[in-house]
Amino acid sequence: MAKECLTTNDRVLASRPLTTAATLELLSSRQLELLKHVRAAEVKLSMEDLYKQWIGNTKTAIRVDMKEWFGDLAFNNVVMSMIGKRYFGTNVTEYESEARKFQKALLDLFLQSGNPIPSDVVPIRSLRLLYSC
């Protein structure tokens, strides 16, 4: 395994992207401060959407799937921060299928970026010691 990692696949392991740098940039206090107006606006718009649904239902109780509602709110926050586009809400229903595909693709990306790779699990120094034996 060490030989495979250090000879055949050494370029792959050495050239993998450093996700921590991007994460630090996106979640820095300065960046969060710059984008707080986006988060506040998205929460306000989502609450207004719920209110409009309630008014449209003649002010009687409505059912809200909170998992979906919070998911859409979080998705709108991320996409609005990244590309300035709002996918979910009362005024953007024509993008629903595109939005669900994009939402699934982002979810898959987040899930894949959390998967360990061999260099995360096995320290390179240990591989060098094995390889030298």
Side-chain angles (χ1 to χ4, degrees), residues 4-5 9 12 15 25 62 93 108-109 113:
E4 186 75 20
C5 289
N9 295 318
V12 174
S15 64
E25 170 90 15
I62 60 170
T93 54
D108 290 345
L109 173 72
S113 66

Side-chain angles (χ1 to χ4, degrees), residues 41-98:
E42 285 304 320
V43 169
K44 182 180 182 215
L45 287 170
S46 293
M47 294 300 290
E48 287 174 358
D49 288 344
L50 283 179
Y51 180 73
K52 287 176 186 174
Q53 287 177 19
W54 180 65
I55 293 292
N57 203 31
T58 62
K59 296 185 180 183
T60 58
I62 60 170
R63 263 185 203 259
V64 177
D65 181 358
M66 295 305 285
K67 182 177 179 181
E68 181 180 333
W69 186 80
F70 280 116
D72 293 348
L73 174 63
F75 184 76
N76 274 343
N77 271 313
V78 169
V79 175
M80 188 58 100
S81 297
M82 288 177 7
I83 59 175
K85 189 172 183 179
R86 187 165 194 258
Y87 272 113
F88 296 111
T90 51
N91 297 333
V92 286
T93 54
E94 70 267 11
Y95 300 119
E96 179 98 22
S97 63
E98 176 188 347

Side-chain angles (χ1 to χ4, degrees), residues 6-24:
L6 294 173
T7 57
T8 309
N9 295 318
D10 61 339
R11 285 187 185 180
V12 174
L13 292 174
S15 64
R16 71 183 178 89
L18 298 174
T19 56
T20 51
T23 304
L24 289 175

Side-chain angles (χ1 to χ4, degrees), residues 80-131:
M80 188 58 100
S81 297
M82 288 177 7
I83 59 175
K85 189 172 183 179
R86 187 165 194 258
Y87 272 113
F88 296 111
T90 51
N91 297 333
V92 286
T93 54
E94 70 267 11
Y95 300 119
E96 179 98 22
S97 63
E98 176 188 347
R100 293 291 173 205
K101 287 179 189 174
F102 189 37
Q103 191 176 35
K104 185 183 178 328
L106 271 181
L107 179 63
D108 290 345
L109 173 72
F110 292 146
L111 291 174
Q112 289 298 317
S113 66
N115 289 341
I117 59 172
S119 64
D120 288 340
V121 177
V122 180
I124 295 298
R125 185 171 180 208
S126 298
L127 288 177
R128 285 188 184 133
L129 290 174
L130 288 173
Y131 185 65

